[in-house]
């Protein structure tokens, strides 16, 4: 596959551009893995985490990571945190069980949309949104409806490049205990790979797809990567480290 062979060069060309990046939701499983891979690849000259609390890291690799602590209920007061970033990754999200229906909508729609608005105003050119398989603003299911709605509303902001990732069930060893998700992960993990890959995706595969996509030039203003595309791009090479 020509694109696979070109990935090391695409990464090197990308590094030479000295771009800056922010991550929303770095305390979650996907955001945490994304940060780790970004640092291992040294893709960006500046890495900033935007969140409601400061995260602590033991490894020396994290010493140059910038952190902006914000109040998501008053994001306009923290507009400066969103200024000067070339690329943004949004992995914000909660669950209805944890936050209630109103809290879920607040985080997964309102916080995400407001963050995207401030990022656009701050000069972000490429916005990456972690969504979900089946996202549809006309869905009868609140989760999928909210995901679909925020996808559409962020698109209206007209980023130079807007990439939406719609994985199936995320397979990970989440630090935060969610028993229902644990059972689902065990279920998908025991299925034949060909079937499981159509309905689930390991977090590492999603992260690799996000980064492999970011380093390759695109003439499309909007890119929608479904679960299969995530698997294909996330497995384009066996190692993210050049």
């Amino acid at each position: 596959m020509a694109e696979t062979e070109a990935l090391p060069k695409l990464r090197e060309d990308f590094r030479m551009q000295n771009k800056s990046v922010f991550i929303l939701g770095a305390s979650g499983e996907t955001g945490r893995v994304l940060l780790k891979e970004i640092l291992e690849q040294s893709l960006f000259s500046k890495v900033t985490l935007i969140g409601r609390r400061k995260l602590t890291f033991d490894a020396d690799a994290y010493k140059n990571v910038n952190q902006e602590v914000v109040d998501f209920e008053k994001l306009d007061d923290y507009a400066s945190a969103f200024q000067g970033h070339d690329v943004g990754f949004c992995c914000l999200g909660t669950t209805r069980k944890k936050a209630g229906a109103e809290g879920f909508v607040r985080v997964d729609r309102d916080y995400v949309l407001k963050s995207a608005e401030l990022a656009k105003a701050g000069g972000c050119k490429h916005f990456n949104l972690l969504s979900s398989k089946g996202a549809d603003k006309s869905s009868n299911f609140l989760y999928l409806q909210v995901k679909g709605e925020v996808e559409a509303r962020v698109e209206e902001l007209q980023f130079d490049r807007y990439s939406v990732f719609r994985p199936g069930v995320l397979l990970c060893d989440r630090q935060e205990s969610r028993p229902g998700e644990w059972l689902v992960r065990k279920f998908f993990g025991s299925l034949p790979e060909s079937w499981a890959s159509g309905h689930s995706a390991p977090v590492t595969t999603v992260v690799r797809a996000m980064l492999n996509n970011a380093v390759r030039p695109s003439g499309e203003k909007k890119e929608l990567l479904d679960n299969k595309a995530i698997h294909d791009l996330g497995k384009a090479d066996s190692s993210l480290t050049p």
Side-chain angles (χ1 to χ4, degrees), residues 173-238:
D173 292 319
R174 193 187 295 273
Q175 291 177 324
E176 177 185 353
S177 178
R178 294 181 183 174
E181 290 188 3
W182 182 85
L183 288 173
V184 170
R185 292 198 299 273
K186 290 299 181 184
F187 171 70
F188 280 105
S190 66
L191 294 171
E193 184 178 355
S194 59
W195 194 92
S197 64
H199 301 275
S200 63
V203 165
T204 50
T205 300
V206 176
V207 165
R208 288 173 179 177
M210 295 174 96
L211 294 179
N212 286 345
N213 184 65
V215 301
R216 62 179 187 175
S218 173
E220 301 292 328
K221 282 187 68 71
K222 179 185 178 183
E223 301 164 306
L224 183 59
L225 288 86
D226 61 14
N227 203 63
K228 182 181 185 305
I230 288 170
H231 272 271
D232 291 344
L233 188 55
K235 296 177 180 178
D237 59 349
S238 58

Side-chain angles (χ1 to χ4, degrees), residues 35-50:
L35 172 61
K36 180 175 181 289
E37 295 290 0
I38 281 176
L39 294 177
E40 286 185 0
Q41 289 195 55
S42 300
L43 287 177
F44 298 91
S45 60
K46 182 179 179 181
V47 179
T48 301
L49 310 183
I50 301 176

Side-chain angles (χ1 to χ4, degrees), residues 20-24 46-52 66-72 74-89 114-124 127:
S20 60
V21 64
F22 72 82
I23 301 174
L24 285 158
K46 182 179 179 181
V47 179
T48 301
L49 310 183
I50 301 176
R52 60 184 175 83
N66 301 286
Q67 297 199 52
E68 295 281 355
V69 178
V70 303
D71 181 347
F72 282 99
K74 304 174 182 177
L75 271 184
D76 280 321
D77 294 345
Y78 300 88
S80 61
F82 293 87
Q83 292 177 355
H85 309 292
D86 301 297
V87 180
F89 289 95
K114 188 61 183 179
S115 296
E117 290 174 352
L118 292 173
K120 179 69 164 69
C124 179
F127 191 81

